[in-house]
Amino acid sequence: MAKINPYYMQIGQADREKEELEKKRKKAKEREKRIKRNIAQKEQDFDLELETAIKMSNKNKIKREEEHKEKLSKEEEKRKKRNKKIKFVLEILLLLAIIVGGIIFAMLSPIFNIQEIQVNNNNQVSGDTIISLSELKIEENIFRFSTSKVVRKIKENAYIENVKIHRKIPNTVQIEIEEREHIYSADFLGKYAYLNKQGYILEIAEDSKQKLILQGITTPEEEVVEGRRLNEGDLKKLEDVIKIMNAAKEYELDAKVKSIDITDKNEYSIYIEEEKKKIHLGDNTNLSNKMLYSNAIIEKEKGKAGEIFANGDLNSKFRVYFRESLV
């Protein structure tokens, strides 16, 4: 067995130790690198966390600032609204003060005392009568009377249908009148009740004023009062009177009709005084044809007094005929 040289053994031992030492240094370096990497990673993580924290802090700060601004904005808006309301109230109070002051001045100042009362569009009722009804007085303050009361007073006259009152500053009052027109005169207990087309009783008088006379009204005596209307039955007959007169107008007979008897709605009759003829119309049907035939007979029998009978059914075999008066 060969012997190992101790020199060489020492060299091998030294190499191994050197190798081991080298390994340890490498491990130490690697550990140092790992430590540095860990430290760097931790620093990076810390920086990231710090950056995130700063960002979050800034974000919260911005949010708080925005919330604060919003709060201030709301408070400013509330303050502006409050000031606006106060300003509005003050303006209203000032306006009211001006108005009240103006009213007091207008009610007390002689500048606004009535100096003239004008009445317009009146024909049936005199201006003096209307002024008297109004109870308005010269030198009365133009603002101190009630227009509704004045209107009500004037409309107590049956001829007055509508009234409008105008204050013309500083001292003139205008009264605009709309009158009812006297169209018919209803024969009533030896007198005449003047009527308009709507059946309002305008006046009770001794003569007919040459208006179309209605005979046979059924409105009770106690109800024939100025300002009131005929009863329902007479008002319906009045509608037929208008139809009769419209039919008569087609043949220029309307101006010649002196009176209409409305006693029986099924036996209406009209009297034409200048022809001395009475036309029996029956009910309100076929009025135009009845007037046509009656007008033809009037022309044919001119100058003869008598009666024309047009009160049958013209759609059947009935023919309008004339019966001369023997008197």
Side-chain angles (χ1 to χ4, degrees), residues 105-116 139-143 168-172:
F105 174 76
M107 296 291 283
L108 298 177
S109 174
I111 295 173
F112 298 105
N113 288 351
I114 299 172
Q115 298 299 323
E116 184 180 7
E139 295 300 337
E140 176 185 4
N141 187 278
I142 199 170
F143 297 106
K168 298 296 181 180
I169 305 303
N171 53 22
T172 300

Coordinates of all heavy atoms in Angstrom, one line a residue, residues 105-116 139-143 168-172:
F105 N -104.9 109.0 -0.1 CA -104.9 110.3 -0.8 C -106.1 110.4 -1.8 O -106.8 111.5 -1.8 CB -103.6 110.4 -1.6 CG -103.5 111.6 -2.5 CD1 -103.3 112.9 -2.0 CD2 -103.7 111.5 -3.9 CE1 -103.3 114.0 -2.8 CE2 -103.7 112.6 -4.7 CZ -103.4 113.9 -4.2
A106 N -106.4 109.3 -2.5 CA -107.5 109.3 -3.5 C -108.8 109.5 -2.8 O -109.7 110.2 -3.3 CB -107.5 108.1 -4.3
M107 N -109.0 108.9 -1.6 CA -110.2 109.0 -0.9 C -110.5 110.3 -0.2 O -111.6 110.7 0.0 CB -110.3 107.9 0.2 CG -110.2 106.5 -0.3 SD -111.7 106.0 -1.2 CE -112.8 105.7 0.1
L108 N -109.4 111.1 0.0 CA -109.5 112.4 0.7 C -109.4 113.6 -0.2 O -109.9 114.6 0.1 CB -108.5 112.4 1.9 CG -108.7 111.4 3.0 CD1 -107.6 111.5 4.0 CD2 -110.0 111.5 3.6
S109 N -108.7 113.4 -1.3 CA -108.4 114.5 -2.1 C -109.6 115.0 -2.9 O -110.3 114.2 -3.6 CB -107.2 114.2 -3.1 OG -107.0 115.3 -4.0
P110 N -109.9 116.3 -2.9 CA -111.0 116.8 -3.7 C -110.8 116.7 -5.2 O -111.7 116.9 -6.0 CB -111.1 118.3 -3.3 CG -109.7 118.6 -2.8 CD -109.2 117.3 -2.2
I111 N -109.6 116.4 -5.6 CA -109.3 116.2 -7.0 C -110.1 115.1 -7.6 O -110.5 115.1 -8.8 CB -107.8 115.9 -7.2 CG1 -106.9 117.1 -6.8 CG2 -107.5 115.5 -8.7 CD1 -105.4 116.8 -6.8
F112 N -110.4 114.1 -6.8 CA -111.1 112.9 -7.3 C -112.6 113.0 -6.9 O -113.3 111.9 -6.9 CB -110.5 111.6 -6.7 CG -109.1 111.4 -7.1 CD1 -108.1 111.7 -6.2 CD2 -108.8 111.0 -8.4 CE1 -106.7 111.5 -6.6 CE2 -107.4 110.9 -8.8 CZ -106.4 111.1 -7.9
N113 N -113.2 114.1 -6.7 CA -114.6 114.3 -6.5 C -115.3 114.3 -7.9 O -114.8 114.9 -8.8 CB -114.9 115.6 -5.7 CG -114.6 115.5 -4.3 OD1 -114.2 114.4 -3.8 ND2 -114.6 116.6 -3.6
I114 N -116.4 113.6 -8.0 CA -117.1 113.6 -9.3 C -117.6 114.9 -9.7 O -118.3 115.6 -9.0 CB -118.4 112.6 -9.1 CG1 -117.9 111.2 -8.8 CG2 -119.2 112.6 -10.4 CD1 -119.0 110.2 -8.4
Q115 N -117.3 115.3 -10.9 CA -117.7 116.5 -11.5 C -118.7 116.3 -12.7 O -119.4 117.2 -13.1 CB -116.5 117.3 -12.0 CG -115.5 117.7 -10.9 CD -116.1 118.6 -9.8 OE1 -117.0 119.4 -10.1 NE2 -115.8 118.3 -8.6
E116 N -118.7 115.1 -13.3 CA -119.5 114.8 -14.4 C -119.9 113.4 -14.4 O -119.1 112.5 -14.2 CB -118.8 115.1 -15.7 CG -119.6 115.0 -17.0 CD -118.9 115.3 -18.3 OE1 -117.6 115.5 -18.2 OE2 -119.5 115.3 -19.3
E139 N -119.7 115.8 -6.7 CA -118.8 116.1 -5.5 C -118.6 114.9 -4.6 O -117.9 115.0 -3.6 CB -119.3 117.3 -4.7 CG -119.2 118.6 -5.4 CD -117.8 119.0 -5.9 OE1 -116.9 118.5 -5.3 OE2 -117.7 119.8 -6.8
E140 N -119.3 113.8 -5.0 CA -119.0 112.5 -4.2 C -117.6 112.0 -4.7 O -117.3 112.1 -5.9 CB -120.1 111.5 -4.5 CG -119.8 110.1 -3.8 CD -120.9 109.1 -4.2 OE1 -121.8 109.5 -5.1 OE2 -120.8 108.0 -3.7
N141 N -116.8 111.4 -3.8 CA -115.5 110.9 -4.2 C -115.7 109.7 -5.2 O -116.6 108.9 -5.0 CB -114.8 110.4 -2.9 CG -113.3 110.0 -3.3 OD1 -113.1 108.9 -3.8 ND2 -112.4 110.9 -3.1
I142 N -114.9 109.8 -6.2 CA -115.1 108.8 -7.3 C -114.8 107.4 -6.9 O -115.2 106.4 -7.6 CB -114.2 109.2 -8.5 CG1 -114.7 108.6 -9.8 CG2 -112.8 108.9 -8.3 CD1 -114.1 109.1 -11.1
F143 N -114.1 107.2 -5.8 CA -113.7 105.9 -5.4 C -114.6 105.3 -4.2 O -114.4 104.2 -3.8 CB -112.2 105.8 -4.9 CG -111.3 106.2 -6.0 CD1 -110.6 107.4 -6.0 CD2 -111.0 105.3 -7.0 CE1 -109.7 107.7 -7.0 CE2 -110.1 105.6 -8.0 CZ -109.4 106.8 -8.0
K168 N -113.5 107.4 -14.9 CA -112.6 108.1 -15.8 C -111.8 109.1 -14.9 O -112.4 110.2 -14.5 CB -113.3 108.8 -16.9 CG -114.0 107.9 -17.9 CD -113.0 107.0 -18.6 CE -113.7 106.1 -19.6 NZ -112.7 105.2 -20.3
I169 N -110.6 108.7 -14.5 CA -109.9 109.6 -13.5 C -109.5 110.9 -14.2 O -109.2 110.9 -15.4 CB -108.6 108.8 -13.1 CG1 -108.9 107.5 -12.6 CG2 -107.8 109.7 -12.1 CD1 -109.8 107.5 -11.4
P170 N -109.7 112.1 -13.5 CA -109.9 112.1 -12.1 C -111.3 112.3 -11.6 O -111.6 112.0 -10.4 CB -109.0 113.3 -11.7 CG -109.2 114.2 -12.9 CD -109.3 113.4 -14.1
N171 N -112.3 112.7 -12.4 CA -113.5 113.1 -11.8 C -114.8 112.9 -12.7 O -115.8 113.5 -12.5 CB -113.5 114.6 -11.5 CG -113.1 115.5 -12.7 OD1 -113.2 115.0 -13.9 ND2 -112.5 116.7 -12.5
T172 N -114.7 111.9 -13.6 CA -115.8 111.6 -14.5 C -116.3 110.1 -14.4 O -115.4 109.2 -14.3 CB -115.5 111.9 -16.0 OG1 -115.1 113.2 -16.1 CG2 -116.7 111.6 -16.9

